[in-house]
Amino acid sequence: MNPGFAALLLALLLAAPASGPALSAPAAEPPVTRAEARVFAEAQSLYREGRHRDAMARLDGYLKAPRPHPFVLTLWGLCALAENEPGKAAEVLTRGVSLWPRNHTLRHNQAVALQRSGDFPAAGEAYLAAADLVTRPADRRLMLVSAAGAFHEARAWRRIRPTLGDLAGPESSDADALKLAGAADIELGDWERAETTFVRLAGLLPADRSVWQTLASIRIERKRPAEAAPALETAAALARLDCGKDENCGRARRLTRASADLYASLRAPRLGLHALSGLDAADFLRTDEKDAKDEKGAGTEARGERRRLERRLAAELEAGRREAAVGTVLEIEKLPVDVTTGMNLAPLRATLLYELGRPREALAVWTGDAQRGGPTAERSRWHAGIVAWELGDRVTAKEMLAGITEDEGLVSEAKAALKVLEEMDRLEASLILTDEVPRESYREPVKLTP
């Protein structure tokens, strides 16, 4: 090798990031003249300055040679990649590999160009070929992980674990390799192995939201929702910590809602209520409703609010929080009628009030519902009549029960109750004492004789 050119290359050495192009001194390099070295150095300077087209122009003449120098092929390919022309880069670098098959830098950059041009299977094979040419373990690891990444993009799931080998083994601490292997396990339906891999990843990357989210999904798939819940909650908490960007906040809210759904399915309402407390109406709008308007030009946020309140109400009822549930029902009843779609929660509110030991308030709600009519009116009449009877107001009780005329089951029960009420009235009347004494009770006074 020309000593001057070797010094030049060492001075201009570039590091090779994962799946990124590299420029380094090739292993088997032909000699160059001083004039060529100066041109190559100028092209390198232009590349560093971002003048990629100028650098390519300086090298075009050398590129037309029957056997261009590896440096020319590598730098021209890097410039083409920088100009977002991966197809041209792949063509030149593939030619370089055919001319210099033992040059690992050309192999590596060919793989990068193929990957960026969308030829993922070929990119994976190129990375594997580069891995066979490097000697440093770190370089080999880089090539193998990059190859697995290319096979992942190619959806060649069965190639990934064999490619990674011990990098994805049970004792591995290589998070990148484990993520790729775990993703392949999921795609292949090997849920047990996937869970083992992501449990290990959770230990290696405890602050990685995606790891916890994936672990939760795996456990849900394996029908173990109770174990999925804490993983999902952790993912939501980590997403909230990273809520500086709108997309992260949106993800945090979606994960929080998923946690609430999972707790609901687990009949863990208190945890569900905690999750719901961090959500608002917008979190319950469907994608097609986000920007929709109704015919009056009003937004759809009220629909999201209704869904949010319904979810909260269900959790409060499940948790036995009747007082809070009454408040939630009142919030729902304040929403526009078109949003609540005719939903009548008055009977539920009355029932909750009665269970809370507030029968007079319950009676008022049931009475109001009965007077409004509708599908629940007769059932509300029945409850109002019974509670009024319980409160000693038999007049209201009889009035309510007598108004039940349509529901056959309730009609028979109401008639039976009315009969009892009438009997009670007669019995009570028979026990009333009046000021008038019956004539049969008069007696003449006994007169005493002297």
Side-chain angles (χ1 to χ4, degrees):
M1 178 187 296
N2 185 299
F5 188 58
L8 170 66
L9 284 177
L10 290 174
L12 299 177
L13 184 65
L14 293 177
S19 295
L23 176 62
S24 61
E29 177 187 295
V32 296
T33 66
R34 289 184 180 276
E36 289 175 329
R38 282 194 296 272
V39 173
F40 294 174
E42 290 172 8
Q44 171 69 8
S45 296
L46 292 169
Y47 170 75
R48 282 186 169 277
E49 293 170 11
R51 297 167 60 186
H52 309 124
R53 295 290 182 190
D54 293 337
M56 294 165 77
R58 294 289 286 151
L59 296 172
D60 279 343
Y62 296 95
L63 194 65
K64 295 175 182 177
R67 193 176 174 83
H69 193 281
F71 182 87
V72 172
L73 294 159
T74 299
L75 185 55
W76 200 98
L78 292 177
C79 290
L81 285 172
E83 288 295 305
N84 197 27
E85 295 180 345
K88 290 183 178 180
E91 182 181 346
V92 168
L93 292 165
T94 298
R95 179 189 174 201
V97 166
S98 68
L99 295 171
W100 308 99
R102 301 296 299 168
N103 188 295
H104 66 79
T105 302
L106 281 170
R107 289 276 188 184
H108 179 192
N109 290 346
Q110 177 204 23
V112 173
L114 289 168
Q115 190 168 16
R116 293 190 184 176
S117 63
D119 191 350
F120 303 120
E125 300 298 343
Y127 280 124
L128 286 177
D132 290 336
L133 296 174
V134 297
T135 56
R136 291 197 314 156
D139 292 338
R140 179 171 174 77
R141 178 260 172 201
L142 172 65
M143 297 300 105
L144 292 176
V145 170
S146 298
F151 289 136
H152 180 277
E153 291 181 280
R155 303 181 66 82
W157 312 118
R158 297 188 185 281
R159 296 292 307 277
I160 291 175
R161 275 200 178 271
T163 295
L164 293 168
D166 290 341
L167 291 174
E171 303 301 321
S172 172
S173 297
D174 192 318
D176 293 332
L178 289 169
K179 280 187 176 182
L180 287 166
D185 295 335
I186 290 172
E187 294 293 341
L188 293 170
D190 191 345
W191 297 104
E192 182 177 358
R193 195 174 195 182
E195 182 173 1
T196 300
T197 300
F198 275 91
V199 166
R200 184 160 184 79
L201 276 167
L204 295 170
L205 304 172
D208 190 319
R209 184 267 317 159
S210 66
V211 169
W212 290 102
Q213 184 176 346
T214 305
L215 181 57
S217 299
I218 292 170
R219 287 174 170 169
I220 290 172
E221 183 67 29
R222 298 192 71 192
K223 313 299 183 188
R224 302 208 325 266
E227 294 175 62
L232 188 58
E233 185 70 33
T234 302
L238 289 170
R240 286 193 292 270
L241 289 175
D242 192 26
C243 202
K245 299 178 181 178
D246 290 341
E247 61 183 64
N248 291 332
C249 290
R251 178 183 293 116
R253 303 182 85 84
R254 288 192 296 274
L255 288 171
T256 300
R257 181 175 174 183
S259 293
D261 292 341
L262 189 55
Y263 287 132
S265 70
L266 290 170
R267 301 181 69 83
R270 294 179 187 277
L271 292 171
L273 284 169
H274 174 71
L276 289 169
S277 66
L279 301 173
D280 56 30
D283 297 309
F284 291 84
L285 289 175
R286 297 193 303 269
T287 302
D288 62 331
E289 294 177 322
K290 296 289 184 183
D291 302 313
K293 304 286 183 181
D294 62 20
E295 65 278 3
K296 298 178 182 177
T300 57
E301 186 174 350
R303 290 183 176 82
E305 180 66 0
R306 185 201 77 200
R307 293 173 192 143
R308 183 184 75 86
L309 292 173
E310 287 174 349
R311 293 290 302 282
R312 191 176 82 187
L313 176 61
E316 287 167 344
L317 292 172
E318 182 72 24
R321 296 185 175 183
R322 295 184 180 87
E323 193 72 54
V326 170
T328 301
V329 169
L330 287 171
E331 288 186 61
I332 295 174
E333 290 178 332
K334 291 176 183 176
L335 293 172
V337 175
D338 61 326
V339 169
T340 57
T341 61
M343 180 170 39
N344 182 12
L345 293 177
L348 173 60
R349 179 157 60 94
T351 300
L352 291 169
L353 289 168
Y354 183 82
E355 291 174 348
L356 286 167
R358 293 152 62 180
R360 293 191 183 278
E361 294 176 64
L363 174 59
V365 176
W366 270 316
T367 301
D369 186 56
Q371 292 171 344
R372 281 191 296 272
T376 61
E378 294 225 320
R379 176 61 63 177
S380 289
R381 278 187 172 279
W382 166 258
H383 287 297
I386 297 301
V387 173
W389 186 355
E390 178 185 318
L391 292 172
D393 186 352
R394 292 208 294 270
V395 173
T396 300
K398 286 188 287 185
E399 178 185 337
M400 285 294 167
L401 293 170
I404 298 174
T405 59
E406 297 180 6
D407 188 311
E408 293 183 4
L410 286 178
V411 167
S412 62
E413 292 183 24
K415 287 181 177 179
L418 284 169
K419 186 175 181 180
V420 173
L421 283 168
E422 291 167 359
E423 288 293 332
M424 291 179 68
D425 287 347
R426 283 195 292 271
L427 178 61
E428 187 175 89
S430 68
L431 297 175
I432 294 176
L433 297 176
T434 63
D435 291 336
E436 181 181 355
V437 180
R439 291 188 179 276
E440 293 80 4
S441 67
Y442 283 123
R443 297 289 184 272
E444 292 293 330
V446 178
K447 295 181 180 180
L448 297 177
T449 54

